[in-house]
Amino acid sequence: MMISKQDIEAYVWIWLPGEVEPIVAGRLVSDNKEVLFNYGKSYLERMEDGRKVISIYEPELPLKSGELPLLNGLNMPNCIRDAAPDAWGRRVIINKKLGSKGKAADTDVFDELTYLLESGSDRIGALDFQRSATEYIPRQTQNVGMDELVESADRIEKGVPLNPELDQALIHGSSIGGARPKALVEDKGRKYVAKFSSTTDLYSVVKAEFIAMRLAALAGLNVAPVEITNAANKDVLLIERFDRIPKGSLWTRKAVVSVLTLLGLDEMMARYASYEALAEIIRHRFINPKDTLKELYSRLVFNVLCGNTDDHARNHAAFWSGDELSLTPAYDICPQGRTGDEASQAMLIHGNNNLSQLRTCLAAAHNFLLSEESANEIFDHIRSVIEDQWNDVCEEAELNETDKKLLYGRQFLNPYSLLKN
């Protein structure tokens, strides 16, 4: 199902570091096959005048005049694609624009610029997209109760149109990535991503993610703070946003790029993304590379030991300051269902090996500037934290005994994952 009307241009607005208002950075133009970007004259003049300005991301979009060429294999700049909605957000937009007819529609019913322009303005990172180069009008919504958001997410999954107020509430959160139902909420001076249970869940996926995130924090990993609550008789996971910093009554925005962008790959090439390649980029381009490498390695090990095989390259990200990269807190650490013991990580770990085992991690330790002894210390530490804190964290999540037995020994600390030799 295709429609004839497509957006052919959009203006990119950016929040510079420390600023609470955006300025226009440049223009995107689409010909249905490629989306190309060029910086605006006024933006580049800031650089010439010595005023604050940053590239959206280098080396992909350096501060140069003219239409910037795409990297090989890409049909739009990856650092722009990072700000676009993924599966869930696209379903929300399709529901809004097509109503009940949208249930059977493919996501290619609209082009990339339409998704950028129709999704919420409070998207992850420091970009937004407008039809105007001179007037910034945010696509905002009033706060809606959590019960209503949960019920609205159910209706979206069923392909049922929403009333305008709830429509806008979910559009507000449509710009964030991922396939699961979610929304953006603000409460008591903090901003959160709210993840909801899905009608297709066979167990409490929301609680499993809460448990994994809490255990990762207890193991000393830098992870986004999480809370769990309940609305409309469904579990809701609240993940505090790390890309927003309060400044008085307003917010500054931190630029974020995915590891897929760092590696110069698109979704079709994501299977070639590897922890080894990321480690090399960290060694050469990140601040505090030694500590960052240990943090990333610990996240890899934790993913293996908790059964999170959805560690693809958009589920890792870095802050971009304009000249430096630094790892964001970890997010989307969500144990995945598995039918047997064998499992593979979404990113390659060592060479072409992505088997979810400690021995695969051990073989890759040198890429993270870690000795075999140091790697084993990380293994033992993370395993002991999961074992020692399991019951307490499950009690905190109010996980029922059935799900507790399902998760432990299958997702968490599966015997297959523990093999080191």
Side-chain angles (χ1 to χ4, degrees), residues 201-241:
D201 289 346
L202 300 178
Y203 62 94
S204 184
V205 176
V206 164
K207 287 185 176 180
E209 184 170 348
F210 171 82
I211 290 166
M213 294 284 283
R214 288 285 293 120
L215 287 170
L218 290 168
L221 275 66
N222 178 20
V223 302
V226 292
E227 300 174 22
I228 196 159
T229 186
N230 190 276
N233 296 315
K234 286 197 171 185
D235 299 317
V236 179
L237 178 68
L238 298 176
I239 307 108
E240 188 170 347
R241 294 182 63 174

Side-chain angles (χ1 to χ4, degrees), residues 41-54 63-65:
K41 181 180 178 182
S42 63
Y43 194 73
L44 293 176
E45 284 175 349
R46 294 178 63 91
M47 178 176 62
E48 295 169 4
D49 296 343
R51 289 177 288 166
K52 185 190 302 181
V53 66
I54 67 170
L63 287 168
K64 295 180 179 179
S65 60

Side-chain angles (χ1 to χ4, degrees), residues 330-344:
Y331 57 96
D332 282 355
I333 304 178
C334 186
Q336 303 295 304
R338 59 207 285 176
T339 53
D341 286 336
E342 291 188 12
S344 301

Side-chain angles (χ1 to χ4, degrees), residues 44-300:
L44 293 176
E45 284 175 349
R46 294 178 63 91
M47 178 176 62
E48 295 169 4
D49 296 343
R51 289 177 288 166
K52 185 190 302 181
V53 66
I54 67 170
S55 65
I56 293 176
Y57 174 65
E58 286 187 58
E60 189 173 36
L61 295 181
L63 287 168
K64 295 180 179 179
S65 60
E67 204 168 72
L68 298 175
L70 295 169
L71 299 182
N72 287 339
L74 302 185
N75 60 10
M76 71 180 296
N78 238 351
C79 55
I80 300 293
R81 177 62 181 81
D82 281 340
D86 281 342
W88 169 253
R90 291 174 190 237
R91 288 175 64 185
V92 173
I93 292 166
I94 290 169
N95 182 283
K96 175 194 174 185
K97 294 181 75 67
L98 299 182
S100 57
K101 295 180 182 178
K103 186 176 182 180
D106 294 329
T107 55
D108 64 359
V109 68
F110 300 117
D111 70 355
E112 288 296 334
L113 292 192
T114 298
Y115 284 119
L116 290 174
L117 289 164
E118 293 289 339
S119 49
S121 289
D122 200 13
R123 67 191 71 243
I124 301 299
L127 301 179
D128 194 23
F129 306 90
Q130 300 277 307
R131 290 182 171 88
S132 171
T134 57
E135 184 180 18
Y136 179 77
I137 304 174
R139 295 175 292 282
Q140 294 178 332
T141 183
Q142 296 178 342
N143 265 347
V144 173
M146 194 69 74
D147 286 1
E148 293 171 296
L149 286 173
V150 170
E151 291 168 1
S152 299
D154 281 349
R155 290 168 69 89
I156 290 287
E157 288 195 298
K158 295 172 184 175
V160 179
L162 304 178
N163 65 49
E165 184 184 45
L166 293 176
D167 208 359
Q168 280 304 109
L170 281 190
I171 285 291
H172 181 55
S174 64
S175 52
I176 51 180
R180 293 187 59 79
K182 60 179 66 67
L184 296 175
V185 297
E186 185 173 342
D187 184 50
K188 298 177 182 177
R190 294 186 178 185
K191 286 181 176 281
Y192 299 92
V193 174
K195 289 188 176 182
F196 310 130
S197 301
S198 171
T199 54
T200 60
D201 289 346
L202 300 178
Y203 62 94
S204 184
V205 176
V206 164
K207 287 185 176 180
E209 184 170 348
F210 171 82
I211 290 166
M213 294 284 283
R214 288 285 293 120
L215 287 170
L218 290 168
L221 275 66
N222 178 20
V223 302
V226 292
E227 300 174 22
I228 196 159
T229 186
N230 190 276
N233 296 315
K234 286 197 171 185
D235 299 317
V236 179
L237 178 68
L238 298 176
I239 307 108
E240 188 170 347
R241 294 182 63 174
F242 46 71
D243 63 329
R244 296 292 184 268
I245 306 295
K247 189 173 183 180
S249 61
L250 301 174
W251 299 84
T252 65
R253 304 191 179 196
K254 300 189 73 170
V256 174
V257 290
S258 73
V259 163
L260 203 62
T261 292
L262 298 184
L263 297 174
L265 301 172
D266 67 1
E267 270 74 15
M268 298 300 293
M269 302 292 285
R271 66 186 181 276
Y272 298 112
S274 73
Y275 282 97
E276 282 183 300
L278 176 55
E280 183 175 359
I281 291 172
I282 289 172
R283 289 197 298 271
H284 292 98
R285 298 194 59 202
F286 275 59
I287 61 173
N288 302 320
K290 186 175 181 181
D291 291 342
T292 302
L293 287 168
K294 184 177 180 182
E295 169 72 19
L296 178 64
Y297 189 77
S298 298
R299 293 183 190 185
L300 164 60

Side-chain angles (χ1 to χ4, degrees), residues 297-332:
Y297 189 77
S298 298
R299 293 183 190 185
L300 164 60
V301 172
F302 189 88
N303 283 334
V304 167
L305 293 183
C306 82
N308 175 31
T309 54
D310 193 37
D311 57 338
H312 58 79
R314 284 209 190 277
N315 277 345
H316 299 275
F319 293 122
W320 167 246
S321 69
D323 52 17
E324 291 180 329
L325 292 163
S326 57
L327 210 58
T328 71
Y331 57 96
D332 282 355

